[in-house]
Amino acid sequence: MFFGEALMAQNDNEAVDVVLVGAGIMSATLAVLLKELDPTIRLEVVELMGSGAAESSNPWNNAGTGHAGLCELNYTPAAADGSIDIKKAVHINSQFEVSKQFWSYLVRKGTFGSPKSFISPVPHLSFVQGRKGVDYLKNRFAALSRHHAFADMEYTEDKARMTEWMPLMMPGRPADEVIAATRVAGGTDVNFGALTTQLLAHLGSQPGAEVRYNQKVTGLERQGQGWRVEIKDSRSGAARQVDARFVFLGAGGGALPLLQMSGIPEGKGFGGFPVSGQWLRCDNQDVVRQHEAKVYSQAAVGSPPMSVPHLDTRVVDGKKSLLFGPYAGFTTKFLKHGSFLDLPLSIRAGNIGPMLAVARDNMDLTRYLISEVRQTMEQRLDSLRRFYPQAKPEDWRLEIAGQRVQIIKKDAKKGGVLQFGTELVAAGDGSIAALLGASPGASVTVSIMLDLIERCFPEQARSAQWTGKLQEIFPAREKVLETDAALYRDVSQHSNECLQLVPQPARAEPGVTPLP
């Protein structure tokens, strides 16, 4: 049994081992992992919307970049002396490789579905303009290419070569423009919506697992060694209570209000800064066919990391499109389908200080968001033409992206800081955990959920059953991948073959086996 003694329902309440709030990539990944580790576990996923992957995991609400540090320049900051810090890029790369191992394991089981429905090979490029940008990219290439994870990276300042790499972006440029690019052919585009849907379908086919939609969590209360979760059906109005030993709050922007509802001391002091997003989208296949890449550049001076511009190939339901952006905006909603009262209702005595400190220290961000909101379509197209000089207005339309709620947390010196990224907040007894923040969350979900398992289920994670299963699923974890070049290459190659990202050699019948 997952938790030893069976959890007994009280007052005719339903009882499960785990309740997961939100049917996005985070909850779906954690639920499937837990079922693999203990098939007897009883769990329920509850989702406010009428389907899974309706918010941040939806393919049109994110860029679909399999974030691996290959092209994202904000993961490799430059020091004052020009040296490049590659630690974050290396770590994110290893985390994405861990995600690929999990997806490969599920594909090898033979019942999960085709990897082609959610992951596609798309080269990752970095593109810079001006002498300062070129010097930075050259130093970045020199630093990264010495590491085994980036050994296949190519660098060029040759415009003929760049025309081969990104033919859509080169015509119409000034002959004397100073530009450079790097390319990694082994990048990916990931449809996190399709992946989430497959995970949920796989989960729902197993005994002791249920996914329910149109379910709103209205209360969280400590109950013995676990939690009582109050849930209301948004269609019928029927209310019910579920007793659970563990609760995961994986509701994207909606996780912060739920964390506050729980009242755990570890959640006090956290605030949220919601940022909306928009893309320019092109479905004209005559244009789309000329760009087979995700091309990232540098954010404008003084702009936040969320503003890094990129022109991306997207593959959704087998059809290719192009996205350019993101263009930021501001709203008080925490979810795309949320309420304008989300931000004001999240203010508490414990977080108003950090929130005011962040407001004081981030006036540049405020001005940036105001300027983004006020942009006209022509101004957005001008930004696109920095990448694609010959862009035509009739080929592009505005696409509303998902909400991102950046983390505000206490800081001893500043009072509060705005944090870009993700953070796992868990109760001291491991009975409840929430995932806050944004990018690169989806790409590194598996590593985040493995961290959650180690923090919230320490005894089970050390057991022979769970340890053996984890070793079967994950031949190599992050730290080893960062340091062992030969193992990295073997594991990555094996994952790429399973996920059909490279031509596949002849194989015996598929089976779930560890690496040879």
Side-chain angles (χ1 to χ4, degrees), residues 447-495:
S447 289
I448 295 171
M449 294 302 101
L450 287 171
D451 180 38
L452 181 150
I453 287 170
E454 291 166 358
R455 288 175 59 180
C456 296
F457 310 112
E459 292 183 13
Q460 292 94 332
R462 290 193 295 266
S463 69
Q465 176 187 338
W466 284 32
T467 299
K469 193 66 179 180
L470 287 169
Q471 289 175 344
E472 178 185 350
I473 300 172
F474 303 102
R477 290 287 299 275
E478 298 86 348
K479 290 184 179 179
V480 178
L481 290 169
E482 291 178 18
T483 57
D484 190 326
L487 183 59
Y488 177 97
R489 285 191 291 270
D490 287 346
V491 169
S492 183
Q493 177 67 19
H494 189 264
S495 294

Coordinates of all heavy atoms in Angstrom, one line a residue, residues 447-495:
S447 N 12.2 16.8 -13.9 CA 13.2 17.1 -12.8 C 12.5 17.7 -11.6 O 12.8 17.4 -10.5 CB 14.3 18.0 -13.4 OG 15.1 17.3 -14.3
I448 N 11.6 18.7 -11.9 CA 10.9 19.3 -10.8 C 10.1 18.4 -10.0 O 10.0 18.4 -8.8 CB 10.0 20.5 -11.3 CG1 10.9 21.6 -11.9 CG2 9.2 21.1 -10.2 CD1 10.1 22.6 -12.7
M449 N 9.4 17.5 -10.7 CA 8.5 16.5 -10.0 C 9.4 15.4 -9.3 O 9.0 14.9 -8.2 CB 7.6 15.8 -11.0 CG 6.5 16.8 -11.6 SD 5.5 17.6 -10.3 CE 6.3 19.2 -10.2
L450 N 10.5 15.1 -9.8 CA 11.4 14.2 -9.1 C 11.9 14.8 -7.8 O 12.0 14.2 -6.8 CB 12.6 13.8 -10.0 CG 12.3 12.8 -11.1 CD1 13.5 12.7 -12.0 CD2 11.9 11.5 -10.6
D451 N 12.2 16.1 -7.9 CA 12.6 16.9 -6.7 C 11.4 16.9 -5.7 O 11.6 16.7 -4.4 CB 12.9 18.3 -7.0 CG 13.3 19.2 -5.8 OD1 14.0 18.6 -4.9 OD2 13.0 20.4 -5.8
L452 N 10.2 17.0 -6.1 CA 9.0 17.0 -5.2 C 8.9 15.6 -4.6 O 8.7 15.5 -3.4 CB 7.8 17.3 -6.0 CG 6.4 17.3 -5.3 CD1 5.5 18.3 -5.9 CD2 5.8 15.9 -5.2
I453 N 9.1 14.6 -5.3 CA 9.0 13.2 -4.8 C 10.0 13.0 -3.7 O 9.7 12.5 -2.6 CB 9.1 12.2 -5.9 CG1 7.9 12.2 -6.7 CG2 9.4 10.8 -5.3 CD1 8.0 11.3 -8.0
E454 N 11.2 13.5 -3.9 CA 12.3 13.3 -2.9 C 12.0 14.1 -1.7 O 12.4 13.7 -0.5 CB 13.7 13.7 -3.5 CG 14.1 12.7 -4.6 CD 15.3 13.2 -5.4 OE1 15.7 14.4 -5.2 OE2 15.7 12.5 -6.3
R455 N 11.4 15.3 -1.8 CA 11.1 16.2 -0.7 C 9.9 15.7 0.1 O 9.8 15.8 1.3 CB 10.9 17.6 -1.1 CG 12.2 18.3 -1.6 CD 12.0 19.6 -2.1 NE 11.3 20.6 -1.2 CZ 11.0 21.8 -1.5 NH1 11.3 22.3 -2.6 NH2 10.4 22.6 -0.6
C456 N 8.8 15.3 -0.6 CA 7.5 15.0 0.0 C 7.3 13.5 0.3 O 6.5 13.2 1.2 CB 6.4 15.5 -0.9 SG 6.4 17.3 -1.1
F457 N 8.0 12.7 -0.3 CA 7.9 11.2 0.0 C 9.3 10.6 0.2 O 9.8 9.7 -0.5 CB 7.3 10.5 -1.2 CG 6.0 11.1 -1.7 CD1 6.0 11.8 -2.9 CD2 4.9 11.1 -0.9 CE1 4.8 12.3 -3.4 CE2 3.7 11.7 -1.4 CZ 3.6 12.3 -2.6
P458 N 10.1 11.2 1.2 CA 11.5 10.7 1.4 C 11.6 9.3 1.7 O 12.6 8.6 1.2 CB 11.9 11.6 2.5 CG 10.7 12.1 3.2 CD 9.7 12.2 2.2
E459 N 10.8 8.7 2.5 CA 10.9 7.3 2.9 C 10.6 6.4 1.7 O 11.4 5.5 1.4 CB 9.9 6.9 4.0 CG 10.3 7.6 5.4 CD 9.4 7.2 6.5 OE1 8.6 6.2 6.3 OE2 9.4 7.8 7.5
Q460 N 9.5 6.7 1.0 CA 9.2 5.8 -0.2 C 10.3 6.0 -1.2 O 10.7 5.0 -1.9 CB 7.9 6.3 -0.8 CG 6.7 5.9 0.1 CD 6.3 7.1 1.0 OE1 7.2 7.9 1.3 NE2 5.0 7.2 1.4
A461 N 10.9 7.2 -1.4 CA 11.9 7.4 -2.4 C 13.2 6.7 -2.2 O 13.9 6.3 -3.1 CB 12.2 8.9 -2.6
R462 N 13.4 6.3 -0.9 CA 14.6 5.6 -0.5 C 14.3 4.1 -0.5 O 15.3 3.3 -0.3 CB 15.1 6.0 0.9 CG 15.7 7.4 0.9 CD 16.4 7.7 2.2 NE 15.5 7.7 3.3 CZ 15.0 8.8 3.9 NH1 15.2 9.9 3.3 NH2 14.1 8.7 4.9
S463 N 13.1 3.7 -0.7 CA 12.8 2.2 -0.6 C 13.3 1.5 -1.8 O 13.6 2.1 -2.9 CB 11.2 2.0 -0.6 OG 10.6 2.4 -1.8
A464 N 13.5 0.2 -1.7 CA 14.0 -0.6 -2.8 C 13.1 -0.6 -4.0 O 13.6 -0.5 -5.1 CB 14.3 -2.0 -2.3
Q465 N 11.8 -0.6 -3.7 CA 10.8 -0.6 -4.8 C 10.9 0.7 -5.7 O 11.1 0.6 -6.9 CB 9.4 -0.7 -4.3 CG 8.3 -0.6 -5.4 CD 6.9 -0.6 -4.8 OE1 6.7 -1.0 -3.7 NE2 6.0 -0.1 -5.6
W466 N 10.9 1.8 -5.0 CA 10.9 3.1 -5.7 C 12.3 3.3 -6.3 O 12.4 3.8 -7.5 CB 10.5 4.2 -4.8 CG 9.1 4.3 -4.6 CD1 8.2 3.3 -4.5 CD2 8.3 5.5 -4.4 NE1 6.9 3.7 -4.2 CE2 7.0 5.1 -4.2 CE3 8.6 6.8 -4.3 CZ2 5.9 6.0 -3.9 CZ3 7.6 7.7 -4.1 CH2 6.2 7.3 -3.9
T467 N 13.4 3.0 -5.6 CA 14.7 3.2 -6.1 C 15.0 2.4 -7.4 O 15.5 2.9 -8.4 CB 15.8 2.9 -5.0 OG1 15.6 3.7 -3.9 CG2 17.2 3.0 -5.6
G468 N 14.5 1.1 -7.3 CA 14.7 0.3 -8.5 C 13.9 0.8 -9.7 O 14.5 0.8 -10.8
K469 N 12.7 1.3 -9.5 CA 11.9 1.8 -10.6 C 12.5 3.0 -11.2 O 12.5 3.2 -12.4 CB 10.5 2.0 -10.1 CG 9.5 2.2 -11.3 CD 9.4 0.9 -12.1 CE 8.4 1.1 -13.2 NZ 8.2 -0.1 -14.1
L470 N 13.0 3.9 -10.3 CA 13.5 5.2 -10.8 C 14.8 4.9 -11.6 O 15.0 5.6 -12.6 CB 13.9 6.1 -9.6 CG 12.7 6.7 -8.9 CD1 13.1 7.4 -7.6 CD2 12.0 7.8 -9.8
Q471 N 15.6 3.9 -11.2 CA 16.8 3.6 -12.0 C 16.4 3.0 -13.3 O 17.1 3.2 -14.3 CB 17.7 2.6 -11.2 CG 18.3 3.3 -10.0 CD 19.1 2.3 -9.1 OE1 18.9 1.1 -9.2 NE2 20.0 2.8 -8.3
E472 N 15.3 2.3 -13.4 CA 14.8 1.7 -14.6 C 14.4 2.8 -15.6 O 14.7 2.8 -16.8 CB 13.7 0.8 -14.4 CG 13.1 0.2 -15.6 CD 11.9 -0.7 -15.4 OE1 11.6 -1.0 -14.2 OE2 11.2 -1.1 -16.3
I473 N 13.7 3.8 -15.0 CA 13.1 4.9 -15.9 C 14.2 5.9 -16.3 O 14.3 6.3 -17.4 CB 12.0 5.7 -15.1 CG1 10.9 4.7 -14.8 CG2 11.5 6.8 -16.0 CD1 9.8 5.3 -13.9
F474 N 15.1 6.2 -15.3 CA 16.1 7.2 -15.5 C 17.5 6.6 -15.4 O 18.1 6.5 -14.3 CB 16.0 8.3 -14.5 CG 14.6 9.0 -14.5 CD1 13.7 8.6 -13.5 CD2 14.3 9.9 -15.5 CE1 12.4 9.2 -13.5 CE2 13.0 10.4 -15.5 CZ 12.1 10.1 -14.5
P475 N 18.1 6.2 -16.5 CA 19.5 5.6 -16.4 C 20.5 6.6 -15.9 O 21.6 6.2 -15.3 CB 19.8 5.3 -17.9 CG 18.5 5.1 -18.5 CD 17.6 6.1 -17.8
A476 N 20.3 7.9 -16.0 CA 21.2 8.9 -15.6 C 20.5 10.2 -15.2 O 19.6 10.7 -16.0 CB 22.3 9.3 -16.6
R477 N 20.8 10.7 -14.0 CA 20.1 11.9 -13.5 C 21.0 13.1 -13.8 O 22.1 13.0 -14.4 CB 19.8 11.8 -12.0 CG 18.7 10.8 -11.7 CD 17.4 11.3 -12.1 NE 17.0 12.6 -11.4 CZ 16.5 12.6 -10.1 NH1 16.3 11.5 -9.5 NH2 16.3 13.8 -9.6
E478 N 20.6 14.3 -13.4 CA 21.2 15.6 -13.9 C 22.7 15.7 -13.6 O 23.4 16.1 -14.5 CB 20.4 16.8 -13.2 CG 18.9 16.8 -13.6 CD 18.0 16.0 -12.7 OE1 18.6 15.2 -11.9 OE2 16.8 16.2 -12.8
K479 N 23.1 15.5 -12.3 CA 24.5 15.7 -12.0 C 25.4 14.8 -12.8 O 26.5 15.3 -13.2 CB 24.7 15.5 -10.5 CG 24.0 16.6 -9.6 CD 24.3 16.4 -8.1 CE 23.7 17.5 -7.3 NZ 24.0 17.3 -5.8
V480 N 25.0 13.6 -13.0 CA 25.9 12.7 -13.8 C 25.9 13.1 -15.3 O 27.0 13.1 -15.9 CB 25.4 11.2 -13.7 CG1 26.2 10.3 -14.5 CG2 25.4 10.8 -12.2
L481 N 24.8 13.5 -15.8 CA 24.7 14.0 -17.2 C 25.6 15.2 -17.4 O 26.2 15.4 -18.5 CB 23.3 14.3 -17.6 CG 22.3 13.1 -17.7 CD1 20.9 13.6 -17.8 CD2 22.7 12.3 -18.9
E482 N 25.7 16.1 -16.4 CA 26.5 17.3 -16.5 C 28.0 17.0 -16.5 O 28.8 17.8 -17.1 CB 26.2 18.2 -15.3 CG 24.8 18.8 -15.4 CD 24.5 19.7 -14.2 OE1 25.5 20.1 -13.5 OE2 23.4 20.0 -13.9
T483 N 28.4 15.8 -16.0 CA 29.9 15.6 -15.8 C 30.4 14.4 -16.7 O 31.6 14.3 -16.9 CB 30.2 15.3 -14.4 OG1 29.4 14.3 -13.9 CG2 29.9 16.6 -13.5
D484 N 29.5 13.4 -17.0 CA 30.0 12.2 -17.7 C 29.6 12.3 -19.2 O 28.5 12.1 -19.6 CB 29.3 11.0 -17.1 CG 29.9 9.7 -17.6 OD1 30.3 9.6 -18.7 OD2 29.9 8.7 -16.8
A485 N 30.6 12.7 -20.0 CA 30.3 12.9 -21.4 C 29.9 11.7 -22.2 O 29.0 11.7 -23.0 CB 31.6 13.5 -22.1
A486 N 30.6 10.5 -21.9 CA 30.2 9.3 -22.6 C 28.8 8.8 -22.3 O 28.0 8.4 -23.2 CB 31.2 8.2 -22.3
L487 N 28.5 8.9 -21.0 CA 27.1 8.5 -20.6 C 26.1 9.4 -21.1 O 25.0 9.0 -21.6 CB 27.0 8.4 -19.0 CG 25.7 7.9 -18.5 CD1 25.4 6.5 -19.0 CD2 25.7 8.0 -16.9
Y488 N 26.4 10.7 -21.1 CA 25.5 11.7 -21.7 C 25.1 11.4 -23.1 O 24.0 11.4 -23.6 CB 26.1 13.1 -21.6 CG 25.2 14.2 -22.2 CD1 24.4 15.0 -21.4 CD2 25.2 14.5 -23.6 CE1 23.6 16.0 -22.0 CE2 24.5 15.4 -24.2 CZ 23.6 16.2 -23.4 OH 22.8 17.2 -23.9
R489 N 26.2 11.1 -23.9 CA 26.0 10.8 -25.3 C 25.1 9.5 -25.5 O 24.2 9.5 -26.4 CB 27.3 10.6 -26.1 CG 28.0 12.0 -26.3 CD 29.2 11.8 -27.3 NE 30.3 11.1 -26.6 CZ 31.3 11.6 -25.9 NH1 31.3 13.0 -25.8 NH2 32.2 10.9 -25.4
D490 N 25.4 8.5 -24.7 CA 24.6 7.2 -24.8 C 23.2 7.4 -24.5 O 22.3 7.0 -25.2 CB 25.3 6.2 -23.9 CG 26.6 5.6 -24.5 OD1 26.9 5.9 -25.7 OD2 27.3 5.0 -23.7
V491 N 22.9 8.1 -23.4 CA 21.6 8.3 -22.9 C 20.8 9.2 -23.9 O 19.6 8.9 -24.2 CB 21.6 8.9 -21.5 CG1 20.2 9.4 -21.1 CG2 22.1 7.9 -20.5
S492 N 21.4 10.3 -24.3 CA 20.7 11.2 -25.2 C 20.4 10.5 -26.6 O 19.3 10.6 -27.1 CB 21.6 12.4 -25.5 OG 21.0 13.3 -26.3
Q493 N 21.3 9.7 -27.1 CA 21.1 9.0 -28.3 C 20.0 8.0 -28.2 O 19.1 7.9 -29.1 CB 22.4 8.3 -28.8 CG 22.3 7.4 -30.0 CD 22.0 8.2 -31.3 OE1 22.3 9.4 -31.3 NE2 21.5 7.6 -32.3
H494 N 20.0 7.3 -27.1 CA 18.9 6.3 -26.8 C 17.5 7.0 -26.8 O 16.5 6.5 -27.4 CB 19.2 5.6 -25.5 CG 18.3 4.4 -25.3 ND1 17.2 4.5 -24.5 CD2 18.3 3.1 -25.8 CE1 16.6 3.3 -24.5 NE2 17.2 2.4 -25.2
S495 N 17.5 8.1 -26.1 CA 16.2 8.9 -26.0 C 15.8 9.4 -27.3 O 14.6 9.3 -27.7 CB 16.4 10.0 -25.0 OG 16.6 9.6 -23.7

